[in-house]
Amino acid sequence: MIKQGKAWKFGDDISTDHIAPGRLFHLRTNLPELAKHVLEDADPEFAQKMSVGDFVVAGNNFGLGSSREHAPQVLKIAGVNAVLAKSFARIFFRNAINIGLLLVECNTDMINQGDELELDLAAGIIKNKTQATKIKATPLPDVMIKILNDGGLAKHIEKYGDFQLV
Amino acid sequence: MGKTIAEKIIGEHSGKKVTAGEFVVANVDVTAVQDGTGPLTIQEIQKINLEQAKNPSRTILFIDHAAPSPRKELSNAHKILRDFAKKTGAILSEVGEGVCHQRLVEDFVNPGEILVGADSHTCTSGALGAFATGMGSTDVGIAIALGKTWLKVPETFKIDVHGSFQQGVYAKDLILHLIGLIGADGATYKALEFTGETIRKMPMTDRFCLSNMAVEAGGKAGLIASDEITRQYLISRGRGDKFRPIDSDPDAVYERVINIDASKLEPTVSCPHTVDNTKLARELNDVKVDQVFIGSCTNGRIEDLRIAANILKGKKVHKDVRLLVVPASREIFIQASREGLLEIFAEAGGAINTPGCGPCVGVHAGILGDDEVCLATQNRNFQGRMGNPKGYIYLSSPATAAFSALRGKISDPREVLVK
Ligand code: SF4
């Protein structure tokens, strides 16, 4: 699977409060509406400026904070292709894979705002077409690849009626 | 080779000996969701026709984050939880009963058990010698329905604490210091095991405070061996029969050992907008505060309220400060009322709110105005956390918070406590 899109660059420690703020708690049962505010507390105009298929690119510890699955949900619903970061917070990482949002752990220092990226998932390579460079992604654990391939955890359980992961 | 607490508990629940790094499917004893994460949990399992609770008497749905509800969308979200409880027999913790993590340790979780909760501070229950970890709605939904989950057995950091706290220094200062030391991602994917002479002597309330904040260093769990102090706590909660000793083996393998001398610590404060941005309270004397919040699953327990009331008794908070006090649970509220603490807060000029999360998560009751500063006893100070990305949140112990409310600026409580 090849995915292409533009990079939107963020810094370190982007929290779930940046992605899906607590003050919008009442929209949690209305995810399409909440998605209009995705990453609002990091960049108030992000939701308007981004296009479907773009990449969110960040530094360390992306998604730290609360366990709200709404955070990866709104990134996915907004049409973010994948999140690329140097590292991810644990609960966010699990949640994203569970709901089928692609996460790529890689060195994002060589990606700038607006760069055109091409992600080759099978090869685990990110091509930065603007800079003409290639970045290698850290492979996901097998368990998570199985979940992603089944279309998320709920689908996996629906398919097998139980965990078939280990 | 010896085992850590995490390896022992996860091993027992997956029916084999396990070592850090392994992936397993483990049985889960207790599951929990709250009103922010629960509706999505229920919708996810409805979608795959699994709307059921494997162990209804150990599945708890908490209405605490938006309690009482400030708007109709949230009232409707609460209805989803009430309906699910009726249909499945799961337990509902209603408006006013308190914050999920406090209620879980009060009445639901026992040593040696596994708890998964759709809330990041689920790690609080680790102080009872249980493996307790936060997950998202789908993970917890599946755990509710099937009674199991998948886990990676975490590596463990041993946090070895010795020495006695100076007067005016508390468990909260210790955990803020530790997070400042290792960073907000210093323990990502790892279990923290708090041990050493200081922890062995520490009352449960302080242990809960430490375990609660393990996730603020990225940790998956904040574990403390169960001992006589745990047993006494369980007896006081009517669950003495549920006690069992859980500890790591002397030759357990740790990824990292961190030694801390508690006697060297001073009142510590996290500055905006990350928990690991720590400074000493005495270095922040020029920071004026508009609002002080005493409460939350970190520091809303009766002992915390006693410490704050002791400082506030017979005094008035600074004229430019709003003081909000929220007991973490109904039982704490009642006890505080019996001891006259609520009267002290009210007479000092404080406002007392319904047991629950209060202003911690920015849903209602205490949202900051632009450029306003709050000193809170909660666990998180992320930008926007208290409902306004233009607000500034500092974190401290209840003593530092109470004394700062009197002074109108961040102040070191040793000034009043050390005579
Ligand atoms: S008090 Fe704050 S940190 Fe604790 S459960 Fe409630 S919102 Fe979360």
Side-chain angles (χ1 to χ4, degrees), chain A residues 31-43:
Chain A
L31 290 174
E33 208 40 52
L34 189 59
K36 293 183 187 159
H37 301 269
V38 62
L39 276 162
E40 189 168 277
D41 284 2
D43 175 356

Side-chain angles (χ1 to χ4, degrees), chain B residues 64-65 99-101 119 121 212 296-297 356-357 360-361 379 385:
Chain B
D64 56 356
H65 280 59
V99 187
C100 50
H101 309 302
D119 189 282
H121 295 101
N212 176 271
S296 86
C297 56
C357 297
C360 175
V361 68
N379 44 38
R385 176 76 185 174

Side-chain angles (χ1 to χ4, degrees), chain A residues 67 69-70 90 94-95 98, chain B residues 119 133-134 136-139 150:
Chain A
S67 68
E69 198 170 290
H70 315 74
R90 182 188 69 83
R94 238 184 121 113
N95 284 345
N98 278 345
Chain B
D119 189 282
T133 192
S137 294
T138 301
D139 267 317
W150 73 266

Side-chain angles (χ1 to χ4, degrees), chain B residues 69-84:
Chain B
S69 167
R71 52 194 301 165
K72 66 177 189 303
E73 294 88 344
L74 293 166
S75 310
N76 289 332
H78 291 169
K79 283 176 70 178
I80 300 175
L81 300 191
R82 292 192 186 102
D83 286 348
F84 183 80

Side-chain angles (χ1 to χ4, degrees), chain A residues 17-18 23 25-26 28 41 61 65-67 69-70 88 90-91 93-95 98 141 143 147 153 162-163 166, chain B residues 36 65 71 73-74 118-119 133-139 148 150 184-185 189 362-363 380 382-383 385 387:
Chain A
D17 280 296
H18 287 113
R23 79 189 129 75
F25 213 77
H26 59 286
R28 289 194 184 180
D41 284 2
N61 210 17
S66 110
S67 68
E69 198 170 290
H70 315 74
F88 293 94
R90 182 188 69 83
I91 305 178
F93 198 107
R94 238 184 121 113
N95 284 345
N98 278 345
V143 165
I147 294 172
L153 184 68
D162 204 343
F163 289 95
V166 293
Chain B
H65 280 59
R71 52 194 301 165
E73 294 88 344
L74 293 166
D119 189 282
T133 192
M135 294 183 179
S137 294
T138 301
D139 267 317
K148 44 186 152 174
W150 73 266
D185 59 354
Y189 308 120
V363 179
R380 243 173 219 163
F382 303 153
Q383 190 177 11
R385 176 76 185 174

Side-chain angles (χ1 to χ4, degrees), chain B residues 11-23:
Chain B
E12 278 184 18
H13 286 75
S14 54
K16 57 176 186 183
K17 282 206 175 342
V18 301
T19 306
E22 257 177 76
F23 288 84

Side-chain angles (χ1 to χ4, degrees), chain A residues 34-103:
Chain A
L34 189 59
K36 293 183 187 159
H37 301 269
V38 62
L39 276 162
E40 189 168 277
D41 284 2
D43 175 356
E45 276 118 50
F46 173 71
Q48 284 81 54
K49 292 184 300 194
M50 73 157 285
S51 310
V52 170
D54 284 347
F55 293 96
V56 167
V57 180
N60 279 310
N61 210 17
F62 187 90
L64 81 155
S66 110
S67 68
R68 63 190 75 149
E69 198 170 290
H70 315 74
Q73 286 275 15
V74 292
L75 287 162
K76 190 179 166 193
I77 291 168
V80 170
N81 242 342
V83 182
L84 281 53
K86 286 191 208 167
S87 66
F88 293 94
R90 182 188 69 83
I91 305 178
F92 179 85
F93 198 107
R94 238 184 121 113
N95 284 345
I97 302 299
N98 278 345
I99 62 134
L101 171 72
L102 196 59
L103 300 185

